[in-house]
């Protein structure tokens, strides 16, 4: 609704009121009085400056204008920040849907949806921008006073600026300075994308002609190794646009010292070259080739489903060429002047796909993610609002203000990273993307080598169209998958707890061939348990009911739930035992042990601990890409989006850990993870090998992974879910009650459970104590509601939950119990 269409009725009735969304967890919007001078300026979606409580000022979003006088005394709007709306009407309706479906406040959706640069509050700290010059001729008087104050004092809050200007209305001044990059909110700036550079070799300036190169053989005649290097370089450079220093060394077996000696003689020179992270072995990129028959057929089928008004589920094995299909559809939409949203589960691990998209689409597509600083995010926001760009990004890109959206691509749609677990809104990016596409009348495509059961069921029922790509692009064979019995012993009868002889032998052969390997262990740290063998004391977190994980490199015990860190005790605090022990295996331990068996191998670890630094992840992937590493040990990170030519072997250290996880989706997650990580092997001309270590090698899930039989797996899984009443055949809502006192949360859970059971009957399970009963100092109690997937029934249940939660909040002694509602908690 805009003011133009309702201005006469509103002004005829007198005072105009504005419902404003604030970035707070309020149950509803807050109503303000609109001063007469602002009436003609206001439209839904604009930011307005408001006062909330005695001293707090916020930039809120105008949600609705009306003439309905509220029952409480209203405060006036202080100022109008934006000339044009920052949000579109569709965005506001999307916010409403998210808040309603996922049972959260509009203010929580605002907090998730807006870049922090656009959310201003009294406590926001302002500093001078790095690009500010001393030229102040274009500044207004108020803007000059703010800049002058910042030259004398490095940081100011908005309250400080209000005092300096002696006025309440400061947000428009701040917005103007922000738009011109004169100032910016203080933040930890994240690194921008950095191009991948590799050190290469070329002839020195005195050896550019054929005659000079022939003379070079005289200079190396006394060294067989240098002669071999020179011959190899000449031959290799004829087929390659550039020769990497690491490749030349690997192809000839010469040490780096041999090549450096030739540089000293002037025969060679080193130089840095920017290269694509997509290695093509000197061949034309996929986009320059003709579509394969499989890709062409998939495109035809997808377009037919879109013409019928259905989203398409693209089920293609790893390396089948799905991205090429996406790009073809994206180019078509962009050529028609429309926008595209390409969603990825984790932006940090998908640099290869991003580079590939930008190579084809250029500046027509922009990357939106958390690694950008807020200035860049705001610029992308404005570009999307004007309809001038398409976007690739993680789930947060769903909140951008699209005005001409024509295509939504959800890549790796099965990935659990699409689910926001904490804090609110606890939404699933895949499902919101489908609603967004429907809202805009846009075409949608979901892709995966291992589709989720939810998407498979939608395709089976005809809600989605199913398109399959069963073969790898270029005819490359799927990797050979071998099961290694985790109890296997070597020739001497010895058994190692982490590496079977089969895996170690395969690793050695892989290194001998000059190929690389990836090892997957779904647990980080050195060992998950630090205990006393005498009295069975276990080092536990002071804030959570979990054991502390030992990290050898830091020599620290760390909680992976809340981040608590402490030094390992030198003796048992319970009985005084000096010989405390470690139990279990993490990626750090795998890396450490591997160096003993393969001392010549260059090994690195990729998990949350090694990728925290600003450039750590990018550097690690770059090193692996250019062949500076032989083996990469990692957690789930190594299953996502990695595409490297030289990977000949993938090892799954312990498949049993994946299958024994206490979750109804454990089998599905295990099948997806093992299949996805297996797909990292042999993705070009060579067939790769996958070794899965397991105690239960005959487990049905492992059997399906070996045979690549997704259809058999999904049918069995669907039958199990139907039989036991799990999603997608029943809807699930989890309620979690939290309080710092156990007795209080138990009392609250008992009372809330009684009220809900009266209304919901056997649809309610619990309350019960979860497996982790205390988290971040809060004691927990859980309840689960399972019901038929009928929208009207879901709506009724959510209303019942809301009324019961409100009633609990008003109960004496239990008002501090927090009820967290998680719709579709998986």
């Amino acid at each position: 609704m805009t003011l133009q269409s309702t201005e006469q009725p509103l002004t005829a009735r007198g005072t105009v009121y504005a419902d404003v969304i604030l970035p707070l967890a309020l149950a509803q919007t807050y109503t303000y009085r609109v001063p007469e001078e602002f009436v003609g300026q206001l439209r839904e979606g604009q930011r307005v400056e408001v006062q909330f409580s005695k001293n707090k000022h916020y930039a809120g979003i105008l949600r609705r204008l009306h003439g309905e006088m509220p029952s409480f005394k209203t405060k006036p709007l202080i100022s109008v920040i934006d000339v044009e709306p920052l949000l579109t009407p569709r965005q506001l309706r999307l916010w409403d849907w998210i808040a309603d479906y996922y049972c959260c406040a509009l203010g929580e959706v605002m907090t998730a949806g807006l870049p922090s640069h656009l959310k201003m509050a009294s406590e926001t700290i302002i500093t001078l921008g790095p690009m500010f010059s001393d030229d102040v001729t274009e500044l207004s008087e108020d803007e000059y006073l703010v800049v002058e104050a910042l030259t004398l004092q490095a940081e100011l809050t908005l309250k400080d600026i209000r005092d300096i200007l002696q006025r309440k209305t400061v947000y428009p001044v701040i917005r103007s300075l922000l738009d011109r990059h004169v100032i910016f909110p203080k933040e930890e700036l994240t690194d921008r994308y950095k191009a991948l550079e590799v050190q290469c070799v070329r002839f020195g300036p005195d050896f550019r002609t054929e005659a000079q190169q022939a003379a070079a053989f005289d200079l190396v005649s006394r060294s067989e190794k240098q002669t071999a290097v020179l011959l190899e370089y000449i031959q290799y450079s004829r087929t390659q646009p550039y020769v990497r220093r690491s490749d030349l060394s690997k192809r000839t077996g010469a040490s780096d010292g041999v090549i450096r000696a030739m540089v000293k003689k002037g025969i060679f020179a080193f130089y840095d070259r920017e290269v694509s992270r997509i290695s093509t072995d000197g061949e034309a990129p996929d986009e320059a080739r003709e579509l394969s028959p499989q890709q062409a057929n998939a495109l035809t089928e997808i377009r037919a489903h879109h013409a019928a008004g259905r989203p398409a589920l693209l089920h293609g094995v790893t390396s089948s060429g799905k991205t090429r299909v996406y790009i073809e559809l994206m180019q078509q939409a962009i050529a028609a002047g429309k926008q595209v949203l390409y969603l990825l589960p984790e932006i940090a691990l998908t640099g290869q796909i991003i580079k590939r998209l930008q190579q084809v689409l250029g500046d027509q597509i922009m990357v939106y993610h958390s690694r950008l600083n807020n200035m860049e995010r705001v610029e992308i926001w404005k570009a999307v609002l004007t309809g001038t760009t398409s976007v690739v990004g993680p789930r947060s890109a769903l909140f951008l203000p699209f005005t001409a959206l024509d295509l939504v691509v959800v890549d790796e749609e099965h990935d659990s990273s699409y689910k926001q677990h904490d804090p609110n809104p606890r939404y699933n990016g895949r499902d919101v993307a489908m609603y967004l596409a429907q809202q805009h009348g846009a075409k949608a495509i979901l892709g995966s080598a291992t589709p989720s059961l939810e998407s498979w069921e939608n395709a089976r029922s005809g809600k989605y169209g199913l398109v399959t790509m069963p073969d790898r692009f270029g005819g490359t064979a799927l990797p050979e998958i071998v099961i290694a019995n985790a109890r296997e012993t070597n020739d001497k009868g010895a058994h190692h707890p982490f590496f079977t002889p089969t895996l170690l032998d395969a690793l050695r052969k892989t290194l001998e061939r000059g190929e690389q390997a990836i090892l997957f262990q779904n647990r980080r740290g050195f060992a998950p348990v630090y205990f006393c063998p005498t009295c069975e004391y276990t080092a536990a977190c002071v804030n959570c009911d979990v054991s502390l994980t030992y990290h050898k490199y830091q020599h620290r015990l760390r909680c992976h739930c809340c981040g608590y860190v402490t030094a390992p005790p030198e003796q048992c605090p319970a009985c005084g035992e000096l010989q405390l022990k470690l139990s279990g295996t993490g990626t750090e331990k795998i890396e450490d042990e591997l160096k003993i068996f393969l001392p010549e191998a260059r090994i690195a670890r990729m998990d949350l601990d090694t990728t925290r630094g600003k450039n750590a992840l990018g550097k690690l992937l770059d090193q692996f890409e250019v062949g500076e590493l032989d083996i990469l040990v990692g957690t789930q990170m190594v299953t996502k989006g990695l595409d490297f030519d030289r990977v000949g072997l993938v090892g799954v250290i312990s498949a049993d850990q994946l299958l024994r996880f206490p979750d109804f989706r454990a089998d599905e997650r295990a099948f997806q993870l093992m299949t996805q990580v297996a797909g990292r092997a042999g993705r070009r001309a060579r067939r790769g090998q996958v070794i899965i270590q397991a105690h239960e090698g005959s487990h049905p899930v492992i059997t399906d992974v070996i045979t690549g039989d997704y259809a058999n797996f999904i049918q069995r899984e669907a039958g199990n879910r139907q039989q036991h009443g799990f999603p997608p055949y029943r809807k699930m809502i989890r309620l979690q009650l939290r309080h710092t006192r156990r007795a209080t949360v138990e009392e609250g859970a008992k009372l809330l459970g009684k009220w809900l059971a009266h209304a919901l009957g056997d649809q309610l399970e619990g309350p019960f104590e979860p497996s982790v009963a205390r988290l971040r100092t809060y004691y927990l109690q859980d309840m689960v509601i399972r019901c038929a997937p009928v929208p009207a029934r879901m709506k009724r249940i959510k209303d019942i939950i809301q009324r019961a939660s409100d009633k609990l909040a008003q109960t004496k002694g239990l008002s501090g119990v927090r009820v967290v509602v998680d719709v579709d908690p998986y």
Side-chain angles (χ1 to χ4, degrees), residues 495-526:
H495 168 259
H496 193 278
F498 321 132
F499 308 121
T500 60
T502 298
L503 179 58
L504 286 174
D505 183 57
L507 282 168
R508 292 188 181 99
K509 290 179 179 178
T510 299
L511 297 182
E512 289 171 4
R513 292 194 301 267
E515 295 178 349
Q516 296 170 301
I518 292 176
L519 297 184
F520 169 54
Q521 169 68 9
N522 200 29
R523 181 177 283 164
R524 64 188 175 98
F526 191 84

Short mmCIF file of all heavy atoms in Angstrom, two decimals, residues 495-526:
data_model
loop_
_atom_site.label_atom_id
_atom_site.label_comp_id
_atom_site.label_asym_id
_atom_site.label_seq_id
_atom_site.Cartn_x
_atom_site.Cartn_y
_atom_site.Cartn_z
N HIS A 495 46.91 -53.92 13.91
CA HIS A 495 45.70 -53.17 13.53
C HIS A 495 45.86 -51.71 13.95
O HIS A 495 46.22 -51.42 15.08
CB HIS A 495 44.47 -53.78 14.21
CG HIS A 495 43.25 -52.93 14.11
ND1 HIS A 495 42.81 -52.13 15.15
CD2 HIS A 495 42.39 -52.73 13.09
CE1 HIS A 495 41.73 -51.48 14.78
NE2 HIS A 495 41.44 -51.83 13.54
N HIS A 496 45.63 -50.81 13.00
CA HIS A 496 45.70 -49.38 13.31
C HIS A 496 44.27 -48.85 13.45
O HIS A 496 43.40 -49.19 12.65
CB HIS A 496 46.43 -48.62 12.20
CG HIS A 496 46.81 -47.22 12.61
ND1 HIS A 496 45.92 -46.18 12.55
CD2 HIS A 496 47.97 -46.71 13.09
CE1 HIS A 496 46.51 -45.08 12.97
NE2 HIS A 496 47.76 -45.38 13.31
N PRO A 497 44.00 -48.01 14.46
CA PRO A 497 42.62 -47.57 14.70
C PRO A 497 42.08 -46.62 13.64
O PRO A 497 40.87 -46.42 13.58
CB PRO A 497 42.71 -46.86 16.06
CG PRO A 497 44.14 -46.46 16.20
CD PRO A 497 44.93 -47.52 15.50
N PHE A 498 42.95 -46.01 12.80
CA PHE A 498 42.47 -45.01 11.84
C PHE A 498 42.63 -45.43 10.39
O PHE A 498 41.79 -45.13 9.55
CB PHE A 498 43.19 -43.67 12.03
CG PHE A 498 43.44 -43.31 13.45
CD1 PHE A 498 44.70 -42.88 13.86
CD2 PHE A 498 42.44 -43.39 14.40
CE1 PHE A 498 44.93 -42.54 15.17
CE2 PHE A 498 42.67 -43.07 15.72
CZ PHE A 498 43.92 -42.64 16.11
N PHE A 499 43.76 -46.11 10.08
CA PHE A 499 44.07 -46.41 8.69
C PHE A 499 44.16 -47.91 8.46
O PHE A 499 44.96 -48.60 9.11
CB PHE A 499 45.41 -45.77 8.28
CG PHE A 499 45.51 -44.31 8.59
CD1 PHE A 499 46.52 -43.84 9.42
CD2 PHE A 499 44.62 -43.40 8.05
CE1 PHE A 499 46.62 -42.49 9.72
CE2 PHE A 499 44.71 -42.05 8.34
CZ PHE A 499 45.71 -41.59 9.17
N THR A 500 43.38 -48.41 7.55
CA THR A 500 43.51 -49.81 7.15
C THR A 500 44.68 -49.94 6.19
O THR A 500 45.05 -48.97 5.51
CB THR A 500 42.23 -50.29 6.45
OG1 THR A 500 42.01 -49.49 5.29
CG2 THR A 500 41.02 -50.19 7.37
N PRO A 501 45.29 -51.11 6.09
CA PRO A 501 46.36 -51.32 5.09
C PRO A 501 45.88 -50.99 3.67
O PRO A 501 46.65 -50.50 2.85
CB PRO A 501 46.70 -52.81 5.25
CG PRO A 501 46.34 -53.11 6.67
CD PRO A 501 45.14 -52.27 6.98
N THR A 502 44.61 -51.25 3.38
CA THR A 502 44.06 -50.94 2.05
C THR A 502 44.16 -49.45 1.75
O THR A 502 44.58 -49.05 0.66
CB THR A 502 42.59 -51.40 1.95
OG1 THR A 502 42.53 -52.81 2.12
CG2 THR A 502 41.99 -51.02 0.61
N LEU A 503 43.78 -48.62 2.72
CA LEU A 503 43.82 -47.18 2.51
C LEU A 503 45.26 -46.68 2.41
O LEU A 503 45.58 -45.87 1.52
CB LEU A 503 43.09 -46.45 3.65
CG LEU A 503 43.09 -44.92 3.57
CD1 LEU A 503 42.45 -44.44 2.28
CD2 LEU A 503 42.36 -44.31 4.78
N LEU A 504 46.12 -47.15 3.29
CA LEU A 504 47.52 -46.69 3.25
C LEU A 504 48.20 -47.09 1.94
O LEU A 504 48.94 -46.28 1.35
CB LEU A 504 48.29 -47.27 4.44
CG LEU A 504 48.00 -46.66 5.81
CD1 LEU A 504 48.72 -47.43 6.91
CD2 LEU A 504 48.41 -45.18 5.85
N ASP A 505 47.93 -48.28 1.47
CA ASP A 505 48.53 -48.74 0.21
C ASP A 505 48.02 -47.88 -0.95
O ASP A 505 48.79 -47.49 -1.84
CB ASP A 505 48.18 -50.21 -0.02
CG ASP A 505 48.83 -50.76 -1.28
OD1 ASP A 505 50.08 -50.70 -1.37
OD2 ASP A 505 48.10 -51.25 -2.16
N ALA A 506 46.73 -47.56 -0.94
CA ALA A 506 46.16 -46.73 -2.00
C ALA A 506 46.73 -45.31 -1.95
O ALA A 506 46.97 -44.69 -3.00
CB ALA A 506 44.64 -46.69 -1.87
N LEU A 507 46.96 -44.80 -0.75
CA LEU A 507 47.56 -43.47 -0.62
C LEU A 507 48.96 -43.43 -1.22
O LEU A 507 49.32 -42.49 -1.94
CB LEU A 507 47.59 -43.05 0.85
CG LEU A 507 46.27 -42.57 1.47
CD1 LEU A 507 46.40 -42.48 2.99
CD2 LEU A 507 45.88 -41.21 0.89
N ARG A 508 49.74 -44.45 -0.93
CA ARG A 508 51.11 -44.50 -1.46
C ARG A 508 51.10 -44.56 -2.99
O ARG A 508 51.87 -43.86 -3.65
CB ARG A 508 51.85 -45.70 -0.87
CG ARG A 508 52.13 -45.59 0.63
CD ARG A 508 53.03 -46.71 1.11
NE ARG A 508 53.29 -46.61 2.55
CZ ARG A 508 52.63 -47.33 3.47
NH1 ARG A 508 51.71 -48.20 3.08
NH2 ARG A 508 52.90 -47.18 4.75
N LYS A 509 50.23 -45.39 -3.55
CA LYS A 509 50.17 -45.51 -5.01
C LYS A 509 49.69 -44.21 -5.65
O LYS A 509 50.14 -43.83 -6.73
CB LYS A 509 49.24 -46.66 -5.40
CG LYS A 509 49.80 -48.04 -5.07
CD LYS A 509 48.83 -49.15 -5.44
CE LYS A 509 49.42 -50.52 -5.12
NZ LYS A 509 48.45 -51.63 -5.43
N THR A 510 48.77 -43.52 -4.98
CA THR A 510 48.28 -42.23 -5.49
C THR A 510 49.41 -41.21 -5.56
O THR A 510 49.56 -40.49 -6.56
CB THR A 510 47.14 -41.71 -4.60
OG1 THR A 510 46.06 -42.66 -4.61
CG2 THR A 510 46.63 -40.36 -5.09
N LEU A 511 50.22 -41.15 -4.51
CA LEU A 511 51.33 -40.20 -4.48
C LEU A 511 52.37 -40.57 -5.54
O LEU A 511 52.96 -39.68 -6.17
CB LEU A 511 51.97 -40.19 -3.09
CG LEU A 511 51.06 -39.72 -1.94
CD1 LEU A 511 51.84 -39.71 -0.62
CD2 LEU A 511 50.49 -38.34 -2.21
N GLU A 512 52.60 -41.86 -5.73
CA GLU A 512 53.57 -42.29 -6.76
C GLU A 512 53.14 -41.87 -8.16
O GLU A 512 53.97 -41.57 -9.02
CB GLU A 512 53.74 -43.83 -6.70
CG GLU A 512 54.49 -44.31 -5.47
CD GLU A 512 54.46 -45.82 -5.32
OE1 GLU A 512 53.90 -46.49 -6.25
OE2 GLU A 512 54.98 -46.35 -4.32
N ARG A 513 51.83 -41.82 -8.39
CA ARG A 513 51.31 -41.40 -9.70
C ARG A 513 51.29 -39.88 -9.85
O ARG A 513 50.91 -39.36 -10.90
CB ARG A 513 49.89 -41.93 -9.90
CG ARG A 513 49.78 -43.43 -10.06
CD ARG A 513 48.40 -43.81 -10.59
NE ARG A 513 47.33 -43.35 -9.71
CZ ARG A 513 46.78 -44.06 -8.73
NH1 ARG A 513 47.23 -45.30 -8.50
NH2 ARG A 513 45.82 -43.58 -7.99
N GLY A 514 51.70 -39.16 -8.81
CA GLY A 514 51.66 -37.70 -8.86
C GLY A 514 50.26 -37.13 -8.69
O GLY A 514 50.00 -35.99 -9.06
N GLU A 515 49.35 -37.92 -8.11
CA GLU A 515 47.98 -37.47 -7.89
C GLU A 515 47.79 -37.05 -6.44
O GLU A 515 48.67 -37.23 -5.60
CB GLU A 515 46.99 -38.58 -8.27
CG GLU A 515 47.02 -38.92 -9.75
CD GLU A 515 46.07 -40.04 -10.11
OE1 GLU A 515 45.54 -40.71 -9.18
OE2 GLU A 515 45.86 -40.26 -11.31
N GLN A 516 46.61 -36.51 -6.16
CA GLN A 516 46.30 -36.02 -4.81
C GLN A 516 45.20 -36.86 -4.19
O GLN A 516 44.49 -37.59 -4.88
CB GLN A 516 45.86 -34.55 -4.89
CG GLN A 516 46.94 -33.60 -5.37
CD GLN A 516 46.37 -32.22 -5.66
OE1 GLN A 516 45.47 -32.08 -6.49
NE2 GLN A 516 46.90 -31.20 -5.01
N ALA A 517 45.06 -36.72 -2.88
CA ALA A 517 44.05 -37.48 -2.15
C ALA A 517 43.31 -36.56 -1.18
O ALA A 517 43.85 -35.58 -0.68
CB ALA A 517 44.69 -38.64 -1.39
N ILE A 518 42.04 -36.90 -0.92
CA ILE A 518 41.22 -36.22 0.09
C ILE A 518 40.75 -37.26 1.08
O ILE A 518 40.24 -38.33 0.70
CB ILE A 518 40.01 -35.52 -0.56
CG1 ILE A 518 40.47 -34.35 -1.43
CG2 ILE A 518 39.04 -35.03 0.50
CD1 ILE A 518 39.33 -33.66 -2.18
N LEU A 519 40.94 -36.97 2.38
CA LEU A 519 40.46 -37.86 3.44
C LEU A 519 39.38 -37.13 4.24
O LEU A 519 39.57 -35.99 4.67
CB LEU A 519 41.60 -38.28 4.36
CG LEU A 519 42.73 -39.09 3.72
CD1 LEU A 519 43.73 -39.51 4.79
CD2 LEU A 519 42.19 -40.31 3.00
N PHE A 520 38.26 -37.81 4.44
CA PHE A 520 37.10 -37.22 5.10
C PHE A 520 36.89 -37.85 6.47
O PHE A 520 36.73 -39.05 6.60
CB PHE A 520 35.86 -37.43 4.22
CG PHE A 520 34.56 -37.10 4.89
CD1 PHE A 520 34.35 -35.86 5.48
CD2 PHE A 520 33.52 -38.03 4.93
CE1 PHE A 520 33.14 -35.56 6.10
CE2 PHE A 520 32.32 -37.75 5.53
CZ PHE A 520 32.13 -36.51 6.12
N GLN A 521 36.92 -36.99 7.50
CA GLN A 521 36.62 -37.41 8.87
C GLN A 521 35.68 -36.35 9.46
O GLN A 521 36.06 -35.20 9.60
CB GLN A 521 37.89 -37.52 9.71
CG GLN A 521 37.68 -37.70 11.20
CD GLN A 521 37.06 -39.04 11.57
OE1 GLN A 521 36.95 -39.92 10.73
NE2 GLN A 521 36.69 -39.20 12.82
N ASN A 522 34.47 -36.74 9.79
CA ASN A 522 33.45 -35.77 10.17
C ASN A 522 33.54 -35.37 11.64
O ASN A 522 32.53 -35.37 12.35
CB ASN A 522 32.06 -36.32 9.85
CG ASN A 522 31.03 -35.21 9.77
OD1 ASN A 522 31.36 -34.09 9.43
ND2 ASN A 522 29.79 -35.51 10.10
N ARG A 523 34.75 -35.05 12.09
CA ARG A 523 34.93 -34.57 13.47
C ARG A 523 36.25 -33.84 13.54
O ARG A 523 37.29 -34.37 13.14
CB ARG A 523 34.92 -35.74 14.46
CG ARG A 523 35.08 -35.34 15.91
CD ARG A 523 34.99 -36.55 16.81
NE ARG A 523 33.63 -36.99 16.99
CZ ARG A 523 33.28 -38.18 17.48
NH1 ARG A 523 34.23 -39.05 17.79
NH2 ARG A 523 32.03 -38.51 17.64
N ARG A 524 36.24 -32.61 14.03
CA ARG A 524 37.48 -31.84 14.09
C ARG A 524 38.13 -31.98 15.46
O ARG A 524 37.57 -32.57 16.38
CB ARG A 524 37.23 -30.37 13.76
CG ARG A 524 36.33 -29.62 14.74
CD ARG A 524 36.01 -28.24 14.20
NE ARG A 524 35.06 -27.53 15.04
CZ ARG A 524 35.38 -26.62 15.95
NH1 ARG A 524 36.64 -26.31 16.14
NH2 ARG A 524 34.45 -26.01 16.66
N GLY A 525 39.33 -31.42 15.59
CA GLY A 525 40.10 -31.55 16.82
C GLY A 525 40.98 -32.78 16.78
O GLY A 525 41.04 -33.51 15.78
N PHE A 526 41.68 -33.03 17.89
CA PHE A 526 42.58 -34.19 17.97
C PHE A 526 41.85 -35.41 18.53
O PHE A 526 41.91 -36.49 17.97
CB PHE A 526 43.79 -33.86 18.84
CG PHE A 526 44.88 -34.88 18.78
CD1 PHE A 526 45.82 -34.84 17.76
CD2 PHE A 526 44.98 -35.88 19.73
CE1 PHE A 526 46.84 -35.79 17.70
CE2 PHE A 526 45.99 -36.84 19.68
CZ PHE A 526 46.92 -36.78 18.65
#
